[in-house]
Amino acid sequence: MSENILVTGSSRGIGREIALYLAQNGYDITLHCNSNIKMAEDTAEEIKNLGRNVRILQFNVSCRNQCMDVISKDIEHYGMYYGVVLNAGISRDNVFPSMTDREWDDVLDTNLGGFYNVLKPIVMPMISARIKGRIITMSSISGLAGNRGQVNYSASKAGIIGATKALSLELAKRRITVNCIAPGVIESDMTKDLPVDELKKMIPMKRIGTGREVASLVNYLMSKDASYITGQVISVNGGLYL
């Protein structure tokens, strides 16, 4: 039986690339979406065509009760995941003096709150099942260096780094690894409106990254070969540091 991996925010963008890459490398996939069920179904069809098992979970990562209910029922019915990729996230950019309470709360509740909400119903069952599992979180270059107009986003992504490091210490003796990926400028829906030509001038490699380049790192960190790597923050950014 193939190992199953839950990838949150996997109906499109980087999450979709991660799910497809993992499926191509022999994993069964549990997709997740909040509202884009049609896009999730399209991704699921591609995974099925690769010969892998796939199912879709629909919930809002910022809603604690919803996460607990949906994830717990999925584990009860299908069994424990081998790995989890916490990819779901949002941005609501604005300069801090003009930032609204809603823009702050939505980003923190989704990006950082989602860490707790998704992992809370997973970690203890993973421990109880004695699975030498893999947890991968998604931060950002903004979480490492900060960025203008992204005080909310940078705070949430920096928080993910701290939470990842702390959780890795708690789970190390269980042989469960917890690592963080911090992408730079990656081609996706979140970057399509950015001034790409100007950004390329700032990036030492003079190009933006691809979702597949992030996905390949996820695949490695999921592997048995990465069993001694935990608590790390690995950047995929073409050499860019803001």
Side-chain angles (χ1 to χ4, degrees), residues 112 137 139-140 143-144 156-166 180 182 231 233:
L112 187 54
T137 65
S139 181
S140 166
L144 289 167
S156 69
K157 293 299 187 176
I160 286 172
I161 290 173
T164 298
K165 288 179 174 289
C180 182
V233 182

Side-chain angles (χ1 to χ4, degrees), residues 91-207:
S91 62
R92 299 287 185 267
D93 295 353
N94 203 346
V95 292
F96 189 74
S98 300
M99 186 171 290
T100 65
D101 292 349
R102 181 69 179 270
E103 288 169 337
W104 176 269
D105 291 341
D106 282 355
V107 170
L108 269 292
D109 289 349
T110 300
N111 297 356
L112 187 54
F115 176 100
Y116 180 88
N117 297 341
V118 173
L119 289 182
K120 186 64 173 179
I122 289 175
V123 168
M124 197 60 226
M126 185 178 279
I127 291 172
S128 298
R130 300 183 182 277
I131 293 173
K132 297 176 182 177
R134 303 283 186 266
I135 296 171
I136 298 173
T137 65
M138 205 64 65
S139 181
S140 166
I141 189 172
S142 294
L144 289 167
N147 195 20
R148 294 178 181 86
Q150 290 194 322
V151 174
N152 51 357
Y153 187 75
S154 296
S156 69
K157 293 299 187 176
I160 286 172
I161 290 173
T164 298
K165 288 179 174 289
L167 186 60
S168 73
L169 298 176
E170 293 186 9
L171 297 182
K173 64 183 179 182
R174 307 290 184 175
R175 303 297 187 264
I176 299 170
T177 67
V178 190
N179 289 292
C180 182
I181 297 175
V185 185
I186 305 295
E187 186 177 358
S188 70
D189 291 340
M190 291 182 73
T191 58
K192 65 182 180 182
D193 295 325
L194 296 179
V196 174
D197 290 338
E198 290 302 311
L199 286 169
K200 286 179 181 178
K201 295 176 184 178
M202 299 170 56
I203 300 169
M205 285 192 171
K206 303 304 179 186
R207 68 174 179 87

Side-chain angles (χ1 to χ4, degrees), residues 6-13 15-17 19-20 29-49 52-59 189:
L6 169 64
V7 184
T8 67
S10 47
S11 63
R12 62 181 181 175
R16 177 180 177 278
E17 293 279 359
L20 289 171
I29 304 296
T30 300
L31 296 170
H32 157 263
C33 69
N34 180 16
S35 57
N36 294 310
I37 188 66
K38 177 61 170 63
M39 297 180 77
E41 289 170 348
D42 291 343
T43 303
E45 193 61 32
E46 290 189 57
I47 292 172
K48 287 177 185 176
N49 291 337
R52 307 313 317 169
N53 294 318
V54 61
R55 59 184 181 272
I56 300 171
L57 301 183
Q58 188 171 11
F59 57 85
D189 291 340

Side-chain angles (χ1 to χ4, degrees), residues 3 5 18 21-22 25 27 82-86 132-139 164 175-183 213-236:
E3 293 163 326
I5 297 173
I18 290 170
Y21 198 103
L22 291 171
N25 283 273
Y27 295 101
Y82 161 72
V84 183
V85 183
L86 297 180
K132 297 176 182 177
R134 303 283 186 266
I135 296 171
I136 298 173
T137 65
M138 205 64 65
S139 181
T164 298
R175 303 297 187 264
I176 299 170
T177 67
V178 190
N179 289 292
C180 182
I181 297 175
E213 288 171 316
V214 177
S216 65
L217 177 56
V218 172
N219 184 65
Y220 171 68
L221 291 174
M222 283 289 172
S223 72
K224 301 297 187 292
D225 290 339
S227 61
Y228 202 55
I229 300 173
T230 196
Q232 302 305 303
V233 182
I234 305 174
S235 296
V236 183

